[in-house]
C-alpha cells in the first residue's frame, strides 16, 4: 500500500496523535477516542506493512500477541446469549486490538519525543486535577451518580482516575532528576497527593503506596542504597507515618471509652419506654457503644417533631436516616431517646439530614477509613451490604462464584456478565436496591465469568507473554504501572469501560514497545 503522505509527515502525525492520547487519557473518552481513531487511520494510510511486520518479528511477535486479548473476546462470541451485549463489549475493547499493534510496529521514540509525551501526560493530568478540585469546591457541577465524593471525578470512575494520578506521581519521581524543572516536579507531586486526598479513594492510596515502594526497591537494587538514601528517607518516612496513623485510627475506632457502661444500663427511659440493648455488639462511635440505650419510638416521634425528613426515610446520602441519627447521637455520648434527640442543636439536625454520622470533625482520610471500618463491622453483624461500596463487592463476588460454576470451562461468552448478573438479580436481590445491583467490580472475575477457565488462561497468557519477551526493553516505570493495573483489576472491572481499556492499552503498549532504551538519557 502506497503511503498517502510522505513518510516524514506520517511520522509527525503519529507523534502528534500520540501526544494527544497522552494528554487525553485523564480527560475522558472523547479526547481518547479522537486520538485512537487518528492513530489508527494514520497507521493504515502510512503503509509500509512489510517494515511493520519486521518490527513485530523483532519484538518476538509481542505486539500482535498482546492484541490477541481482543481476538479471544471475538472468538468467545459463540458463547454469548445476548449477541448485542457481546458486540458492544467488543466495541469498548477496540483499543486492545489497535494500540499494541500501532505502537508496537511504529519506530520507537527518541528522548526528545519521549519527554514531550511525558509532558503531555502530566499536563493532561494537571488540567483534569484542577477540574476535579473545582468540582470539590462547587465551582463546577459534579456528577449526580452517587451523591458522594466519588462524583467529583468527572471524566471517569474515581478508582480509575485516582490510580492514574498515582501513576502520574511515580512518573514525576522517575523524571525529577532528569529535568531542570525539579521544583515544578516536586510541587506537582504534592499537588497530586492533595488530589488523592480529596478523592478519598482507598484504591488510589494503596496504588500509590505499593507503586512507590516497588519503584524505590527496584531503583535501589539497580543503583545501590547509598545513591538513593535521600529518596528512601523522603518517601519511606511519610509512608511509615501513614501506616502508624492508620493503625492509630483503627485502634481508636475499636476503643471503648467506658467499659463499665454495660454494667449500668437503664431498663426504662425517663418517659417509660423500654431501652433496647445489644450487649453482644461492641461497635462504637467516637468510643461510645452504638447498639445500647435505644428507644426507637421516642427517637422517631421526637425526630419527626424536629425535622421534615422522616425518621423512617433516607438522609441526603441515601442512607437510612434512623441509623445516621443513632450514630450521631452516640458520637456525642447521648442516648437514643427523646432527651437525646432534644439535646441536639439545629446545626446537629442539619448535619444528620445531610448524612453526617458523627459530631466529631475528622479529616477526609480519617473519615474515609472510619467509614470502611464501619461498613466491615456492619456487614459482619448484619450480613447486609446495600449502599456500602466496600462490602457490596463481597456480595458481588459471592454472586460471581455461583455464575462461574454454571459455565466453568467456557464461560458465558463475550459480554455475558451483564446478562448473567441481570438474571441472578431477577431471582435473588441479595438485599441490594436496584441501583446497587451491579457486576463483579473485579476484572479477573469478570473475565472468568465471560471466558471460562480456558478463555481466561488464553487471555492472561496474551497479556503476560509480551512482558516476558520485552523485559530487556522495559524501563523502571513498568513494574509500578503493572502493580497499579493489578490492583485496579482486583478492585474494579477496568476493561469493561472505554476509559479503562484505553488507559491500560495505551500506557501498557507505550511502556513495552514505545521506548528505545531503559532510561532517559541526559540528552535534550
Amino acid at each position: 500500500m502506497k503511503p498517502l503522505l510522505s513518510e516524514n509527515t506520517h511520522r509527525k502525525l503519529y507523534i502528534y496523535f500520540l501526544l494527544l492520547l497522552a494528554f487525553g487519557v485523564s480527560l475522558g473518552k472523547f479526547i481518547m477516542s479522537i486520538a485512537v481513531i487518528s492513530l489508527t487511520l494514520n497507521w493504515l494510510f502510512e503503509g509500509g506493512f512489510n517494515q511493520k511486520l519486521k518490527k513485530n518479528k523483532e519484538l518476538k511477535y509481542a505486539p500482535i500477541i498482546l492484541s490477541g486479548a481482543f481476538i479471544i473476546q471475538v472468538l468467545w462470541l459463540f458463547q454469548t446469549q445476548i449477541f448485542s451485549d457481546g458486540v458492544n463489549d467488543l466495541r469498548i475493547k477496540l483499543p486492545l486490538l489497535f494500540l499494541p499493534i500501532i505502537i508496537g510496529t511504529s519506530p520507537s521514540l527518541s528522548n526528545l519525543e519521549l519527554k514531550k509525551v511525558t509532558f503531555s501526560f502530566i499536563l493532561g493530568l494537571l488540567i483534569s486535577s484542577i477540574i476535579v478540585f473545582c468540582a470539590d469546591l462547587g465551582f463546577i457541577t459534579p456528577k449526580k451518580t452517587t451523591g458522594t465524593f466519588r462524583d467529583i471525578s468527572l471524566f471517569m470512575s474515581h478508582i480509575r482516575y485516582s490510580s492514574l494520578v498515582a501513576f502520574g506521581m511515580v512518573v514525576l519521581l522517575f523524571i525529577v532528576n532528569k529535568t531542570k524543572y525539579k521544583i515544578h516536579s516536586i510541587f506537582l507531586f504534592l499537588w497530586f497527593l492533595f488530589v488523592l486526598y480529596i478523592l478519598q479513594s482507598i484504591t488510589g492510596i494503596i496504588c500509590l503506596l505499593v507503586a512507590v515502594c516497588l519503584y524505590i526497591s527496584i531503583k535501589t537494587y539497580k543503583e545501590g542504597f547509598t545513591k538513593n538514601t535521600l529518596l528512601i528517607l523522603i518517601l519511606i518516612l511519610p509512608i511509615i507515618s501513614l501506616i502508624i496513623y492508620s493503625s492509630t485510627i483503627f485502634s481508636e475506632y475499636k476503643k471503648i471509652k467506658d467499659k463499665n457502661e454495660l454494667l449500668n444500663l437503664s431498663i426504662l427511659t425517663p418517659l417509660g419506654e423500654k431501652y433496647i440493648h445489644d450487649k453482644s455488639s461492641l461497635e462504637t462511635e467516637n468510643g461510645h457503644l452504638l447498639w445500647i440505650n435505644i428507644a426507637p419510638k421516642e427517637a422517631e416521634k421526637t425526630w419527626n417533631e424536629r425535622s421534615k425528613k422522616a425518621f423512617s426515610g433516607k438522609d441526603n446520602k441515601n442512607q437510612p436516616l434512623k441509623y445516621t441519627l443513632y450514630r450521631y447521637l452516640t458520637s456525642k455520648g447521648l442516648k437514643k431517646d427523646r432527651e437525646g434527640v432534644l439535646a441536639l442543636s439545629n446545626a446537629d439536625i442539619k448535619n444528620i439530614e445531610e448524612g453526617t454520622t458523627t459530631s466529631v470533625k475528622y479529616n477526609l482520610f480519617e473519615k474515609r477509613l472510619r467509614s470502611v471500618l464501619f461498613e466491615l463491622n456492619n456487614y459482619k453483624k448484619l450480613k447486609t451490604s446495600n449502599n456500602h461500596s466496600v462490602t457490596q463487592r463481597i456480595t458481588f463476588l459471592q454472586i460471581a462464584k455461583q455464575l462461574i460454576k454454571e459455565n466453568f470451562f467456557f464461560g458465558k461468552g463475550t459480554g455475558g456478565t451483564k446478562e448473567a448478573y441481570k438474571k441472578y438479580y431477577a431471582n435473588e436481590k441479595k438485599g441490594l436496591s436496584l441501583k446497587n445491583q451491579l457486576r463483579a467490580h473485579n476484572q479477573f472475575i469478570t473475565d472468568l465469568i465471560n471466558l471460562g477457565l480456558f478463555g481466561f488462561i488464553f487471555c492472561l497468557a496474551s497479556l503476560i507473554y509480551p512482558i516476558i519477551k520485552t523485559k530487556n526493553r522495559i524501563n523502571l516505570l513498568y513494574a509500578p504501572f503493572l502493580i497499579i493495573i493489578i490492583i485496579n483489576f482486583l478492585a474494579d472491572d477496568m476493561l469493561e469501560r472505554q476509559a479503562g481499556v484505553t488507559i491500560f492499552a495505551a500506557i501498557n503498549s507505550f511502556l513495552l514497545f514505545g521506548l528505545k532504551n531503559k532510561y532517559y538519557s541526559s540528552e535534550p
Side-chain angles (χ1 to χ4, degrees):
M1 180 179 176
K2 186 178 179 180
L4 185 65
L5 303 170
S6 69
E7 182 179 342
N8 187 49
T9 301
H10 277 295
R11 173 63 180 177
K12 287 181 178 179
L13 287 174
Y14 170 70
I15 298 301
Y16 291 151
F17 297 142
L18 199 60
L19 291 174
L20 180 63
L21 181 60
F23 176 77
V25 289
S26 57
L27 288 164
K29 62 183 181 181
F30 178 72
I31 298 178
M32 284 191 274
S33 297
I34 292 175
V36 173
I37 292 170
S38 300
L39 281 167
T40 303
L41 292 175
N42 183 67
W43 185 86
L44 290 171
F45 289 128
E46 184 182 29
F49 293 112
N50 288 333
Q51 186 64 29
K52 289 172 180 175
L53 286 172
K54 183 180 178 182
K55 178 76 183 293
N56 186 55
K57 186 177 180 180
E58 289 173 359
L59 291 172
K60 312 293 185 183
Y61 303 100
I64 198 166
I65 289 175
L66 184 56
S67 294
F70 179 85
I71 304 303
I72 292 166
Q73 302 286 341
V74 175
L75 295 176
W76 250 253
L77 275 174
F78 80 93
Q79 278 286 90
T80 305
Q81 292 183 357
I82 309 296
F83 192 73
S84 59
D85 287 347
V87 172
N88 184 59
D89 197 53
L90 290 178
R91 177 189 62 79
I92 291 171
K93 289 185 170 69
L94 277 172
L96 283 178
L97 173 65
F98 294 131
L99 290 177
I101 294 176
I102 293 169
I103 296 175
T105 60
S106 298
S108 300
L109 272 62
S110 67
N111 285 325
L112 180 58
E113 292 166 342
L114 182 57
K115 290 172 183 177
K116 287 180 178 179
V117 170
T118 305
F119 176 79
S120 295
F121 171 67
I122 296 298
L123 178 62
L125 204 57
L126 175 61
I127 292 173
S128 65
S129 66
I130 292 172
I131 294 172
V132 165
F133 180 58
C134 289
D136 185 54
L137 292 177
F139 298 152
I140 296 176
T141 304
K143 294 184 293 188
K144 298 187 183 300
T145 306
T146 66
T148 67
F149 59 87
R150 298 172 181 85
D151 291 346
I152 66 174
S153 181
L154 300 178
F155 302 107
M156 63 190 74
S157 155
H158 78 293
I159 291 178
R160 261 164 254 142
Y161 183 71
S162 63
S163 300
L164 199 59
V165 171
F167 178 66
M169 294 172 72
V170 178
V171 172
L172 287 170
L173 285 180
F174 184 72
I175 66 174
V176 69
N177 289 324
K178 306 174 187 295
T179 176
K180 60 183 179 181
Y181 302 110
K182 290 180 171 56
I183 300 299
H184 301 78
S185 298
I186 294 170
F187 173 78
L188 283 173
F189 185 93
L190 295 175
W191 166 254
F192 289 144
L193 186 62
F194 171 72
V195 172
L196 268 187
Y197 171 72
I198 65 174
L199 282 167
Q200 300 181 52
S201 171
I202 297 295
T203 303
I205 293 171
I206 292 173
C207 284
L208 177 64
L209 293 178
V210 177
V212 167
C213 288
L214 183 59
Y215 173 82
I216 294 174
S217 298
I218 296 174
K219 196 173 191 315
T220 303
Y221 174 77
K222 288 179 175 292
E223 300 175 359
F225 181 83
T226 304
K227 191 175 180 180
N228 292 283
T229 303
L230 182 60
L231 177 65
I232 292 170
L233 291 175
I234 290 174
L235 294 174
I236 292 296
L237 288 179
I239 290 173
I240 294 174
S241 299
L242 181 61
I243 293 171
I244 294 173
Y245 179 50
S246 300
S247 300
T248 302
I249 294 173
F250 181 78
S251 62
E252 286 183 354
Y253 182 84
K254 292 285 188 179
K255 185 179 179 181
I256 300 173
K257 287 185 176 180
D258 185 4
K259 293 183 179 180
N260 294 322
E261 192 174 11
L262 288 173
L263 303 176
N264 301 296
L265 294 173
S266 301
I267 298 175
L268 300 175
T269 72
L271 294 180
E273 182 178 349
K274 187 175 182 179
Y275 280 120
I276 295 173
H277 303 299
D278 183 356
K279 297 181 182 180
S280 64
S281 174
L282 297 180
E283 191 171 339
T284 62
E285 191 69 59
N286 190 26
H288 299 288
L289 291 166
L290 178 57
W291 300 109
I292 61 172
N293 297 317
I294 301 173
K297 292 179 181 179
E298 284 188 21
E300 180 173 11
K301 184 176 183 297
T302 313
W303 172 263
N304 289 338
E305 291 172 358
R306 299 203 60 187
S307 173
K308 292 181 180 180
K309 281 190 172 293
F311 177 85
S312 58
K314 300 289 183 69
D315 59 34
N316 289 348
K317 291 183 180 178
N318 204 35
Q319 305 165 138
L321 190 142
K322 69 176 181 179
Y323 296 129
T324 304
L325 173 61
Y326 288 168
R327 290 178 65 187
Y328 197 95
L329 286 166
T330 304
S331 73
K332 293 177 74 74
L334 298 172
K335 295 180 178 181
K336 279 72 75 175
D337 58 12
R338 181 172 180 81
E339 289 185 353
V341 177
L342 288 175
L344 296 172
S345 68
N346 290 334
D348 290 329
I349 297 294
K350 185 177 180 181
N351 287 338
I352 294 165
E353 291 173 341
E354 290 295 323
T356 303
T357 58
T358 177
S359 61
V360 182
K361 301 299 181 183
Y362 297 118
N363 62 53
L364 293 179
F365 174 75
E366 192 169 5
K367 188 183 295 184
R368 179 62 182 139
L369 188 55
R370 284 176 174 274
S371 72
V372 171
L373 292 173
F374 176 81
E375 285 187 37
L376 294 172
N377 282 333
N378 186 68
Y379 183 80
K380 183 179 179 181
K381 176 181 173 64
L382 303 175
K383 299 300 179 184
T384 180
S385 61
N386 195 44
N387 287 325
H388 293 153
S389 62
V390 174
T391 52
Q392 276 180 175
R393 295 168 191 274
I394 300 174
T395 303
F396 300 151
L397 293 178
Q398 289 172 343
I399 298 171
K401 183 178 179 181
Q402 178 62 36
L403 298 179
I404 291 169
K405 287 180 179 178
E406 292 175 3
N407 300 82
F408 181 70
F409 291 107
F410 293 100
K412 302 282 187 179
T414 302
T417 300
K418 179 180 178 181
E419 182 64 17
Y421 269 90
K422 184 178 178 181
K423 285 183 176 179
Y424 186 95
Y425 288 131
N427 298 315
E428 172 57 61
K429 308 298 183 187
K430 296 290 283 188
L432 299 174
S433 60
L434 184 61
K435 71 182 181 67
N436 291 325
Q437 292 175 13
L438 305 174
R439 289 178 271 173
H441 277 59
N442 183 308
Q443 190 60 52
F444 296 116
I445 297 299
T446 296
D447 282 342
L448 268 173
I449 296 172
N450 284 342
L451 307 175
L453 180 63
F454 293 143
F456 178 77
I457 291 173
F458 290 145
C459 191
L460 203 58
S462 72
L463 298 177
I464 294 174
Y465 175 87
I467 300 172
I468 297 172
K469 290 300 179 180
T470 59
K471 61 183 179 181
N472 293 328
R473 298 170 54 90
I474 295 174
N475 68 7
L476 193 57
L477 282 177
Y478 191 76
F481 168 73
L482 184 60
I483 197 67
I484 287 173
I485 288 299
I486 291 172
I487 292 170
N488 266 263
F489 278 16
L490 290 170
D492 190 26
D493 39 13
M494 184 176 182
L495 302 185
E496 305 306 300
R497 297 290 183 272
Q498 188 176 344
V501 172
T502 307
I503 289 169
F504 169 71
I507 300 178
N508 190 55
S509 301
F510 181 74
L511 292 177
L512 287 175
F513 312 131
L515 311 179
K516 277 184 178 179
N517 47 4
K518 293 183 181 180
Y519 308 98
Y520 286 99
S521 73
S522 58
E523 299 172 9

